[in-house]
Amino acid sequence: AETVPFAHALPLPKTLTPLTRGATTDVYEMRMREADVEIVKGLTSRVRTFDGTFPGPTIKACQGRAVEVRQYNDLTVNAAVHLHGGEVHSEHDGLPMDVIAPGGNRTYHYPNKQRAASLWYHDHAHHLEAENVYKGLHGLYLISDAEEKKLPLPRGAYDVPLVIRDARVETDGTLRYTRPSDCPHMLVNGKERPYFKVAARKYRLRLYNACANRYIRLRLADGTPFTQIASDGGLLERPVQRDELLMLGGERVEVVVDFSRYSVGQSVVLENTGALPTERPEVLRFDIDRRSTDNSEVPARLSTLPPVPRGTVERDFELRTFPAMTINGVSYDPDRVDVATTVGSSEIWTIRNVEAPLPAPPDFHLYHSFHTHLTYFRVLERNGQPAGVRDSGLKDTVCLGPGETVKIAMTWGPYTGQYLYHCHQLGHSSGGQMGRIDVNPA
Ligand code: C2O
Protein backbone atom coordinates (compact mmCIF):
# COMPACT_ATOMS: atom_id res chain seq x y z
CA ALA A 1 0.00 0.00 0.00
CA GLU A 2 1.19 3.55 -0.81
CA THR A 3 1.45 5.56 2.35
CA VAL A 4 1.97 9.04 3.67
CA PRO A 5 4.77 9.22 6.23
CA PHE A 6 4.25 10.65 9.71
CA ALA A 7 0.53 9.91 9.88
CA HIS A 8 0.71 8.16 13.27
CA ALA A 9 1.89 9.35 16.66
CA LEU A 10 4.60 7.05 18.02
CA PRO A 11 3.02 4.55 20.40
CA LEU A 12 4.95 3.21 23.38
CA PRO A 13 4.56 -0.49 24.13
CA LYS A 14 2.56 -0.94 27.33
CA THR A 15 4.33 -2.27 30.41
CA LEU A 16 2.90 -5.57 31.64
CA THR A 17 1.71 -5.67 35.25
CA PRO A 18 2.66 -8.77 37.23
CA LEU A 19 -0.15 -11.04 38.42
CA THR A 20 1.67 -11.41 41.70
CA ARG A 21 4.81 -10.04 43.26
CA GLY A 22 6.35 -12.66 45.55
CA ALA A 23 9.31 -12.29 47.87
CA THR A 24 11.77 -13.23 45.12
CA THR A 25 9.77 -13.44 41.90
CA ASP A 26 7.34 -11.42 39.79
CA VAL A 27 4.82 -13.65 38.03
CA TYR A 28 3.32 -12.69 34.68
CA GLU A 29 0.92 -14.25 32.23
CA MET A 30 0.53 -13.65 28.51
CA ARG A 31 -1.61 -15.13 25.79
CA MET A 32 -0.20 -15.51 22.31
CA ARG A 33 -3.08 -14.79 20.01
CA GLU A 34 -4.07 -13.21 16.74
CA ALA A 35 -5.27 -9.62 16.80
CA ASP A 36 -6.32 -6.92 14.35
CA VAL A 37 -4.20 -3.79 14.48
CA GLU A 38 -3.62 -0.66 12.43
CA ILE A 39 -0.04 -0.60 11.11
CA VAL A 40 -0.58 1.57 8.04
CA LYS A 41 -3.08 4.43 8.47
CA GLY A 42 -6.61 3.37 7.58
CA LEU A 43 -5.87 -0.37 7.10
CA THR A 44 -6.52 -3.29 9.43
CA SER A 45 -3.89 -6.02 9.64
CA ARG A 46 -4.24 -9.43 11.27
CA VAL A 47 -1.08 -10.10 13.29
CA ARG A 48 0.29 -12.67 15.75
CA THR A 49 0.77 -11.14 19.16
CA PHE A 50 1.89 -11.61 22.68
CA ASP A 51 -1.15 -10.56 24.68
CA GLY A 52 -2.96 -8.70 21.92
CA THR A 53 -0.46 -5.91 21.28
CA PHE A 54 1.92 -5.32 18.38
CA PRO A 55 4.75 -5.44 19.50
CA GLY A 56 4.01 -7.34 22.71
CA PRO A 57 3.95 -5.81 26.18
CA THR A 58 7.20 -4.78 27.88
CA ILE A 59 8.42 -6.60 30.96
CA LYS A 60 10.47 -4.48 33.35
CA ALA A 61 12.75 -6.60 35.49
CA CYS A 62 15.49 -5.73 37.91
CA GLN A 63 18.68 -7.52 38.69
CA GLY A 64 18.31 -9.85 41.65
CA ARG A 65 14.55 -10.43 41.25
CA ALA A 66 13.39 -13.39 39.19
CA VAL A 67 10.57 -13.29 36.66
CA GLU A 68 8.23 -16.07 35.69
CA VAL A 69 6.08 -15.80 32.59
CA ARG A 70 3.29 -18.24 31.86
CA GLN A 71 2.74 -18.23 28.11
CA TYR A 72 -0.52 -19.58 26.67
CA ASN A 73 -0.44 -20.46 22.98
CA ASP A 74 -3.84 -19.49 21.55
CA LEU A 75 -2.41 -19.43 18.01
CA THR A 76 -2.81 -22.13 15.38
CA VAL A 77 0.97 -22.63 15.07
CA ASN A 78 3.73 -23.81 17.40
CA ALA A 79 5.67 -21.22 19.32
CA ALA A 80 8.75 -21.24 21.57
CA VAL A 81 9.52 -18.17 23.62
CA HIS A 82 13.18 -17.18 23.76
CA LEU A 83 14.52 -14.35 25.90
CA HIS A 84 17.17 -12.84 23.62
CA GLY A 85 20.14 -11.76 25.77
CA GLY A 86 18.83 -13.65 28.79
CA GLU A 87 21.16 -15.75 30.91
CA VAL A 88 18.66 -18.52 31.60
CA HIS A 89 18.61 -22.27 32.20
CA SER A 90 18.47 -24.39 29.06
CA GLU A 91 14.94 -25.66 29.71
CA HIS A 92 13.71 -22.04 29.82
CA ASP A 93 15.63 -20.90 26.74
CA GLY A 94 12.84 -21.51 24.21
CA LEU A 95 14.87 -23.94 22.10
CA PRO A 96 13.61 -24.54 18.53
CA MET A 97 12.20 -28.02 19.23
CA ASP A 98 11.00 -27.20 22.72
CA VAL A 99 7.73 -25.69 21.54
CA ILE A 100 4.34 -24.87 23.01
CA ALA A 101 1.76 -26.52 20.76
CA PRO A 102 -1.47 -24.68 19.95
CA GLY A 103 -3.74 -24.81 23.00
CA GLY A 104 -0.81 -25.48 25.33
CA ASN A 105 0.96 -23.33 27.86
CA ARG A 106 4.28 -23.20 29.58
CA THR A 107 6.00 -21.23 32.31
CA TYR A 108 9.40 -19.73 31.63
CA HIS A 109 11.69 -18.81 34.50
CA TYR A 110 14.17 -15.96 34.17
CA PRO A 111 16.70 -15.57 37.03
CA ASN A 112 17.76 -11.96 36.16
CA LYS A 113 21.16 -12.33 37.81
CA GLN A 114 22.68 -10.35 34.94
CA ARG A 115 23.49 -6.63 34.61
CA ALA A 116 21.10 -4.00 33.28
CA ALA A 117 20.43 -4.36 29.55
CA SER A 118 17.74 -4.02 26.89
CA LEU A 119 16.63 -7.53 25.99
CA TRP A 120 13.70 -8.76 23.94
CA TYR A 121 11.65 -11.89 23.83
CA HIS A 122 10.52 -13.51 20.61
CA ASP A 123 9.39 -16.74 19.03
CA HIS A 124 12.02 -19.39 18.21
CA ALA A 125 9.98 -22.40 16.97
CA HIS A 126 12.08 -24.18 14.35
CA HIS A 127 11.35 -23.15 10.74
CA LEU A 128 8.65 -20.79 12.01
CA GLU A 129 10.57 -18.08 13.86
CA ALA A 130 11.09 -15.79 10.88
CA GLU A 131 7.41 -15.63 10.00
CA ASN A 132 6.23 -15.65 13.62
CA VAL A 133 8.52 -12.78 14.64
CA TYR A 134 7.67 -10.89 11.46
CA LYS A 135 3.95 -11.32 12.11
CA GLY A 136 4.39 -9.80 15.55
CA LEU A 137 5.69 -12.31 18.10
CA HIS A 138 8.22 -10.10 19.81
CA GLY A 139 8.31 -7.77 22.80
CA LEU A 140 10.75 -5.97 25.07
CA TYR A 141 12.30 -7.10 28.31
CA LEU A 142 14.27 -4.43 30.13
CA ILE A 143 16.53 -5.26 33.06
CA SER A 144 17.70 -2.49 35.36
CA ASP A 145 20.26 -2.60 38.16
CA ALA A 146 21.53 -0.44 41.01
CA GLU A 147 24.60 0.78 39.11
CA GLU A 148 22.52 2.05 36.23
CA LYS A 149 19.84 3.61 38.47
CA LYS A 150 22.51 5.76 40.16
CA LEU A 151 23.48 7.41 36.87
CA PRO A 152 21.88 10.75 35.94
CA LEU A 153 20.76 9.48 32.51
CA PRO A 154 17.36 10.54 31.09
CA ARG A 155 14.65 8.40 32.69
CA GLY A 156 10.92 7.89 32.86
CA ALA A 157 9.13 9.53 29.92
CA TYR A 158 12.56 10.45 28.49
CA ASP A 159 13.75 6.84 28.25
CA VAL A 160 12.07 5.52 25.13
CA PRO A 161 12.31 2.20 23.26
CA LEU A 162 12.23 2.34 19.45
CA VAL A 163 11.59 -1.09 17.93
CA ILE A 164 12.36 -0.73 14.23
CA ARG A 165 11.35 -3.25 11.60
CA ASP A 166 10.25 -3.48 8.00
CA ALA A 167 6.97 -4.84 6.70
CA ARG A 168 4.88 -5.36 3.62
CA VAL A 169 1.27 -4.33 4.10
CA GLU A 170 -0.99 -5.01 1.11
CA THR A 171 -3.76 -2.61 0.10
CA ASP A 172 -6.30 -4.86 1.87
CA GLY A 173 -4.23 -4.62 5.06
CA THR A 174 -2.63 -8.09 4.89
CA LEU A 175 0.78 -8.16 6.58
CA ARG A 176 2.64 -10.43 4.18
CA TYR A 177 5.87 -12.23 5.04
CA THR A 178 8.19 -11.85 2.07
CA ARG A 179 11.78 -10.98 1.23
CA PRO A 180 13.05 -7.66 2.61
CA SER A 181 13.41 -6.00 -0.78
CA ASP A 182 9.59 -6.33 -1.04
CA CYS A 183 9.02 -4.80 2.40
CA PRO A 184 8.80 -1.04 1.82
CA HIS A 185 7.10 -0.09 5.08
CA MET A 186 9.32 0.82 8.01
CA LEU A 187 7.63 0.53 11.40
CA VAL A 188 8.55 1.93 14.79
CA ASN A 189 6.79 0.36 17.77
CA GLY A 190 4.29 -1.20 15.37
CA LYS A 191 3.27 1.88 13.36
CA GLU A 192 4.46 2.93 9.96
CA ARG A 193 6.89 5.92 10.02
CA PRO A 194 5.40 7.72 13.00
CA TYR A 195 6.14 11.14 14.43
CA PHE A 196 7.18 11.64 18.03
CA LYS A 197 6.60 14.88 19.93
CA VAL A 198 9.63 15.55 22.09
CA ALA A 199 10.70 18.22 24.55
CA ALA A 200 13.83 20.26 23.83
CA ARG A 201 16.00 18.16 26.16
CA LYS A 202 17.97 14.90 26.30
CA TYR A 203 16.32 11.56 25.58
CA ARG A 204 17.62 8.05 25.99
CA LEU A 205 16.58 6.03 22.94
CA ARG A 206 16.76 2.23 23.06
CA LEU A 207 17.06 1.21 19.41
CA TYR A 208 16.22 -2.32 18.35
CA ASN A 209 16.56 -3.80 14.90
CA ALA A 210 13.65 -6.25 14.95
CA CYS A 211 13.63 -6.80 11.18
CA ALA A 212 13.43 -10.44 10.23
CA ASN A 213 15.87 -10.13 7.34
CA ARG A 214 17.47 -6.75 6.83
CA TYR A 215 20.05 -4.35 8.16
CA ILE A 216 19.27 -0.73 8.87
CA ARG A 217 21.70 2.17 8.93
CA LEU A 218 20.37 4.98 11.09
CA ARG A 219 21.31 8.62 11.11
CA LEU A 220 19.69 11.92 11.97
CA ALA A 221 18.99 13.70 8.70
CA ASP A 222 20.84 16.89 9.71
CA GLY A 223 23.96 14.96 10.71
CA THR A 224 23.56 15.48 14.48
CA PRO A 225 25.62 12.73 16.10
CA PHE A 226 24.25 10.18 18.54
CA THR A 227 25.92 9.64 21.91
CA GLN A 228 25.97 5.87 22.26
CA ILE A 229 25.77 4.71 25.88
CA ALA A 230 24.94 1.01 25.62
CA SER A 231 24.93 -1.96 23.29
CA ASP A 232 23.33 -5.43 23.45
CA GLY A 233 24.67 -6.25 26.92
CA GLY A 234 24.06 -2.89 28.57
CA LEU A 235 26.14 0.19 29.37
CA LEU A 236 29.48 0.83 27.72
CA GLU A 237 32.38 1.96 29.89
CA ARG A 238 32.33 5.39 28.29
CA PRO A 239 29.95 7.12 25.89
CA VAL A 240 31.02 7.26 22.23
CA GLN A 241 29.92 9.60 19.44
CA ARG A 242 28.40 7.91 16.40
CA ASP A 243 27.22 9.55 13.18
CA GLU A 244 25.58 6.47 11.79
CA LEU A 245 24.44 3.18 13.32
CA LEU A 246 24.56 0.04 11.21
CA MET A 247 22.37 -2.53 12.92
CA LEU A 248 21.65 -6.12 11.92
CA GLY A 249 18.65 -8.07 13.09
CA GLY A 250 18.75 -8.69 16.84
CA GLU A 251 21.21 -5.89 17.68
CA ARG A 252 20.49 -3.15 20.20
CA VAL A 253 22.12 0.26 20.43
CA GLU A 254 21.21 2.81 23.09
CA VAL A 255 21.89 6.45 22.45
CA VAL A 256 21.26 9.81 24.05
CA VAL A 257 20.11 12.60 21.74
CA ASP A 258 19.95 16.17 23.00
CA PHE A 259 16.99 17.90 21.34
CA SER A 260 17.80 21.17 23.16
CA ARG A 261 19.95 22.03 20.13
CA TYR A 262 16.66 22.57 18.23
CA SER A 263 14.09 25.27 18.77
CA VAL A 264 10.44 24.56 19.49
CA GLY A 265 8.64 24.01 16.19
CA GLN A 266 11.58 22.33 14.47
CA SER A 267 11.70 18.69 13.42
CA VAL A 268 14.45 16.22 12.69
CA VAL A 269 14.03 12.94 10.84
CA LEU A 270 15.64 9.66 11.79
CA GLU A 271 16.47 8.04 8.48
CA ASN A 272 17.68 4.71 7.22
CA THR A 273 20.54 5.23 4.78
CA GLY A 274 20.42 1.47 4.24
CA ALA A 275 17.03 1.80 2.51
CA LEU A 276 16.86 0.69 -1.11
CA PRO A 277 16.82 3.42 -3.77
CA THR A 278 13.15 2.55 -4.38
CA GLU A 279 12.24 3.02 -0.71
CA ARG A 280 11.66 6.09 1.43
CA PRO A 281 14.54 6.60 3.87
CA GLU A 282 12.40 8.15 6.66
CA VAL A 283 11.90 6.03 9.77
CA LEU A 284 10.62 8.47 12.39
CA ARG A 285 10.20 12.23 12.73
CA PHE A 286 11.01 13.93 16.02
CA ASP A 287 8.90 17.08 16.44
CA ILE A 288 10.34 19.40 19.06
CA ASP A 289 7.16 20.84 20.55
CA ARG A 290 8.00 22.21 23.99
CA ARG A 291 10.75 23.48 26.24
CA SER A 292 11.70 21.54 29.30
CA THR A 293 14.07 21.55 32.21
CA ASP A 294 16.67 18.83 32.04
CA ASN A 295 18.77 17.63 34.94
CA SER A 296 19.97 14.56 33.11
CA GLU A 297 23.56 14.09 32.03
CA VAL A 298 25.69 11.57 30.25
CA PRO A 299 28.58 10.91 32.63
CA ALA A 300 32.05 10.49 31.15
CA ARG A 301 32.28 7.13 32.87
CA LEU A 302 29.20 4.92 32.65
CA SER A 303 30.20 1.51 33.88
CA THR A 304 32.92 -1.07 34.35
CA LEU A 305 32.77 -4.08 32.08
CA PRO A 306 33.97 -7.49 33.14
CA PRO A 307 37.50 -8.20 31.83
CA VAL A 308 37.76 -9.46 28.24
CA PRO A 309 37.82 -13.27 28.42
CA ARG A 310 41.26 -14.70 27.66
CA GLY A 311 40.36 -17.52 25.36
CA THR A 312 42.28 -20.76 25.41
CA VAL A 313 39.95 -22.74 23.15
CA GLU A 314 39.70 -21.55 19.53
CA ARG A 315 36.93 -22.44 17.12
CA ASP A 316 36.13 -21.43 13.54
CA PHE A 317 32.74 -20.92 11.95
CA GLU A 318 31.90 -20.28 8.31
CA LEU A 319 28.46 -18.99 7.36
CA ARG A 320 27.06 -19.65 3.90
CA THR A 321 23.73 -18.95 2.28
CA PHE A 322 24.39 -20.71 -1.05
CA PRO A 323 23.65 -23.46 -1.94
CA ALA A 324 22.05 -23.94 1.51
CA MET A 325 21.83 -22.11 4.83
CA THR A 326 24.76 -23.61 6.71
CA ILE A 327 27.36 -23.08 9.40
CA ASN A 328 30.53 -25.06 8.68
CA GLY A 329 28.78 -26.83 5.84
CA VAL A 330 25.82 -28.21 7.81
CA SER A 331 22.30 -27.14 8.55
CA TYR A 332 20.81 -27.32 12.04
CA ASP A 333 20.06 -30.77 13.38
CA PRO A 334 18.71 -30.73 16.93
CA ASP A 335 20.17 -34.20 17.56
CA ARG A 336 23.72 -33.30 16.52
CA VAL A 337 26.04 -31.55 18.99
CA ASP A 338 28.07 -29.08 16.94
CA VAL A 339 30.11 -27.71 19.82
CA ALA A 340 30.67 -29.43 23.16
CA THR A 341 32.21 -27.22 25.80
CA THR A 342 32.37 -26.99 29.58
CA VAL A 343 30.99 -24.33 31.84
CA GLY A 344 33.64 -21.69 32.51
CA SER A 345 35.49 -22.35 29.25
CA SER A 346 36.89 -19.12 27.75
CA GLU A 347 36.98 -19.27 23.98
CA ILE A 348 37.89 -17.31 20.88
CA TRP A 349 35.55 -17.82 17.95
CA THR A 350 36.48 -16.71 14.44
CA ILE A 351 33.39 -16.21 12.32
CA ARG A 352 33.55 -15.80 8.56
CA ASN A 353 30.87 -14.63 6.19
CA VAL A 354 32.00 -16.20 2.93
CA GLU A 355 29.39 -14.56 0.66
CA ALA A 356 30.90 -12.33 -2.02
CA PRO A 357 29.70 -8.71 -2.14
CA LEU A 358 27.22 -7.76 -4.85
CA PRO A 359 27.86 -4.64 -6.89
CA ALA A 360 24.53 -3.10 -5.81
CA PRO A 361 21.70 -3.59 -3.33
CA PRO A 362 19.45 -5.40 -2.53
CA ASP A 363 22.15 -7.37 -0.74
CA PHE A 364 20.37 -7.97 2.57
CA HIS A 365 20.61 -11.76 2.32
CA LEU A 366 24.41 -11.61 1.99
CA TYR A 367 24.71 -10.16 5.50
CA HIS A 368 24.82 -12.33 8.57
CA SER A 369 24.12 -11.48 12.16
CA PHE A 370 25.88 -13.97 14.42
CA HIS A 371 24.12 -14.52 17.73
CA THR A 372 24.98 -16.66 20.75
CA HIS A 373 22.52 -17.76 23.42
CA LEU A 374 23.38 -17.88 27.15
CA THR A 375 26.45 -15.66 27.15
CA TYR A 376 27.61 -12.27 25.95
CA PHE A 377 30.86 -11.86 24.08
CA ARG A 378 33.38 -9.15 23.26
CA VAL A 379 34.38 -8.42 19.69
CA LEU A 380 38.19 -8.58 19.49
CA GLU A 381 38.81 -8.02 15.79
CA ARG A 382 37.00 -7.20 12.61
CA ASN A 383 38.78 -8.10 9.36
CA GLY A 384 42.10 -8.41 11.18
CA GLN A 385 41.85 -4.94 12.76
CA PRO A 386 41.13 -4.27 16.44
CA ALA A 387 37.37 -3.88 16.99
CA GLY A 388 36.14 -0.30 16.56
CA VAL A 389 33.39 1.67 18.29
CA ARG A 390 30.53 -0.05 16.50
CA ASP A 391 31.60 -3.36 18.09
CA SER A 392 32.19 -2.00 21.58
CA GLY A 393 30.72 -3.28 24.82
CA LEU A 394 29.11 -6.59 25.64
CA LYS A 395 27.51 -8.06 22.54
CA ASP A 396 25.27 -11.02 21.86
CA THR A 397 24.81 -10.37 18.15
CA VAL A 398 27.48 -9.19 15.71
CA CYS A 399 27.13 -7.97 12.15
CA LEU A 400 29.06 -9.62 9.31
CA GLY A 401 28.97 -7.99 5.91
CA PRO A 402 29.77 -10.05 2.81
CA GLY A 403 33.36 -11.32 3.03
CA GLU A 404 33.88 -10.10 6.60
CA THR A 405 35.57 -11.95 9.47
CA VAL A 406 35.16 -11.22 13.16
CA LYS A 407 36.90 -12.68 16.18
CA ILE A 408 34.90 -12.78 19.39
CA ALA A 409 35.72 -13.91 22.94
CA MET A 410 33.35 -15.34 25.52
CA THR A 411 33.20 -17.49 28.63
CA TRP A 412 30.51 -20.18 28.52
CA GLY A 413 28.19 -20.16 31.51
CA PRO A 414 26.78 -19.50 34.04
CA TYR A 415 24.48 -22.48 33.32
CA THR A 416 24.93 -25.86 31.69
CA GLY A 417 22.83 -27.64 29.09
CA GLN A 418 21.86 -27.28 25.47
CA TYR A 419 22.03 -23.85 23.80
CA LEU A 420 22.32 -22.34 20.33
CA TYR A 421 24.28 -20.02 18.11
CA HIS A 422 22.83 -18.87 14.82
CA CYS A 423 22.44 -16.18 12.24
CA HIS A 424 19.84 -13.65 13.41
CA GLN A 425 18.66 -12.93 9.90
CA LEU A 426 15.65 -15.03 10.77
CA GLY A 427 15.11 -16.33 7.27
CA HIS A 428 18.61 -17.79 7.62
CA SER A 429 18.08 -19.39 11.04
CA SER A 430 14.68 -20.73 9.93
CA GLY A 431 16.49 -22.25 6.97
CA GLY A 432 18.98 -24.00 9.28
CA GLN A 433 21.86 -21.53 9.74
CA MET A 434 22.09 -22.50 13.36
CA GLY A 435 24.25 -24.75 15.54
CA ARG A 436 23.82 -26.57 18.82
CA ILE A 437 26.25 -25.99 21.68
CA ASP A 438 26.19 -28.17 24.76
CA VAL A 439 27.68 -26.58 27.85
CA ASN A 440 28.69 -29.50 30.04
CA PRO A 441 29.42 -29.44 33.77
CA ALA A 442 33.11 -28.93 34.59
CU1 C2O B 1 16.97 -13.48 19.15
CU2 C2O B 1 18.20 -17.37 19.10
O1 C2O B 1 17.54 -15.41 19.07
Side-chain angles (χ1 to χ4, degrees):
E2 275 301 304
T3 56
V4 185
F6 318 129
H8 297 278
L10 176 80
L12 297 175
K14 72 161 193 205
T15 301
L16 197 62
T17 311
L19 281 184
T20 60
R21 290 180 210 267
T24 58
T25 309
D26 292 337
V27 179
Y28 295 87
E29 199 173 272
M30 280 190 230
R31 303 199 85 97
M32 289 180 259
R33 60 179 178 87
E34 293 197 334
D36 289 329
V37 299
E38 186 187 57
I39 298 171
V40 165
K41 199 79 184 174
L43 299 177
T44 302
S45 303
R46 174 66 49 100
V47 295
R48 295 178 188 162
T49 73
F50 283 105
D51 231 37
T53 67
F54 178 83
T58 300
I59 290 183
K60 291 193 176 162
C62 47
Q63 188 187 43
R65 255 189 95 66
V67 159
E68 241 170 53
V69 188
R70 171 157 298 197
Q71 293 282 5
Y72 290 86
N73 184 356
D74 296 344
L75 297 165
T76 53
V77 292
N78 284 343
V81 184
H82 170 62
L83 179 61
H84 180 127
E87 295 175 2
V88 312
H89 288 99
S90 173
E91 57 281 23
H92 298 283
D93 198 40
L95 291 169
M97 314 311 284
D98 203 0
V99 296
I100 313 172
N105 72 79
R106 164 153 195 168
T107 302
Y108 293 93
H109 182 86
Y110 303 131
N112 300 323
K113 300 214 169 114
Q114 59 196 96
R115 72 201 293 264
S118 298
L119 280 51
W120 58 311
Y121 60 92
H122 62 75
D123 176 64
H124 220 306
H126 194 32
H127 300 311
L128 296 176
E129 72 268 32
E131 185 166 357
N132 274 344
V133 172
Y134 179 92
K135 293 242 168 109
L137 286 183
H138 57 273
L140 305 184
Y141 187 105
L142 309 178
I143 305 181
S144 62
D145 67 17
E147 179 198 41
E148 190 190 45
K149 278 187 190 145
K150 279 202 314 252
L151 297 176
L153 294 167
R155 63 179 74 239
Y158 309 108
D159 174 356
V160 173
L162 300 176
V163 182
I164 300 170
R165 55 156 297 177
D166 59 353
R168 178 177 192 88
V169 178
E170 306 291 7
T171 45
D172 67 354
T174 305
L175 173 64
R176 185 152 72 85
Y177 179 58
T178 183
R179 56 175 182 261
S181 51
D182 286 330
C183 290
H185 304 114
M186 200 47 89
L187 320 185
V188 188
N189 298 347
K191 296 285 186 203
E192 201 214 2
R193 299 175 213 275
Y195 63 86
F196 181 33
K197 293 193 173 180
V198 294
R201 54 156 291 151
K202 290 186 230 46
Y203 279 73
R204 174 180 185 168
L205 305 174
R206 301 180 190 240
L207 302 163
Y208 285 74
N209 180 353
C211 294
N213 293 303
R214 76 151 79 196
Y215 58 79
I216 51 177
R217 211 182 300 116
L218 299 173
R219 75 187 283 277
L220 289 165
D222 64 351
T224 296
F226 302 104
T227 302
Q228 184 180 351
I229 57 166
S231 61
D232 303 337
L235 292 170
L236 305 178
E237 297 209 306
R238 289 180 190 77
V240 291
Q241 296 300 113
R242 307 276 310 270
D243 293 329
E244 220 173 39
L245 309 168
L246 172 63
M247 296 174 70
L248 263 282
E251 285 190 286
R252 286 88 72 208
V253 172
E254 295 185 38
V255 297
V256 171
V257 174
D258 191 353
F259 295 104
S260 72
R261 61 186 295 136
Y262 302 101
S263 25
V264 170
Q266 281 191 302
S267 293
V268 63
V269 171
L270 180 70
E271 55 180 32
N272 173 20
T273 61
L276 295 174
T278 51
E279 297 171 334
R280 310 188 69 118
E282 301 92 347
V283 174
L284 170 70
R285 191 183 67 204
F286 295 102
D287 295 340
I288 294 84
D289 83 328
R290 60 197 188 275
R291 279 178 218 296
S292 158
T293 55
D294 186 359
N295 301 319
S296 71
E297 267 171 63
V298 180
R301 175 141 201 114
L302 294 164
S303 168
T304 304
L305 295 184
V308 178
R310 293 187 167 266
T312 47
V313 179
E314 301 209 12
R315 305 184 200 272
D316 292 301
F317 299 86
E318 214 175 76
L319 277 68
R320 273 183 202 276
T321 302
F322 305 108
M325 301 291 179
T326 58
I327 299 180
N328 289 344
V330 290
S331 288
Y332 179 64
D333 174 349
D335 297 323
R336 185 189 64 231
V337 181
D338 296 294
V339 175
T341 188
T342 41
V343 66
S345 171
S346 288
E347 311 198 347
I348 294 180
W349 288 19
T350 302
I351 302 133
R352 291 194 175 78
N353 174 347
V354 295
E355 324 293 353
L358 283 177
D363 57 355
F364 300 123
H365 61 293
L366 299 182
Y367 278 70
H368 295 301
S369 177
F370 191 84
H371 171 54
T372 54
H373 285 211
L374 182 64
T375 187
Y376 289 88
F377 53 77
R378 303 293 291 271
V379 182
L380 303 177
E381 287 177 17
R382 176 176 289 278
N383 305 325
Q385 302 299 313
V389 284
R390 70 182 257 218
D391 292 314
S392 48
L394 288 170
K395 296 284 291 166
D396 60 39
T397 307
V398 64
C399 160
L400 286 140
E404 287 200 299
T405 299
V406 295
K407 246 184 218 288
I408 61 177
M410 77 287 273
T411 302
W412 285 98
Y415 305 117
T416 58
Q418 190 187 137
Y419 293 95
L420 289 176
Y421 52 88
H422 60 89
C423 180
H424 216 286
Q425 297 250 61
L426 296 175
H428 295 182
S429 57
S430 298
Q433 203 168 61
M434 189 153 65
R436 167 175 167 180
I437 175 165
D438 283 12
V439 182
N440 296 310

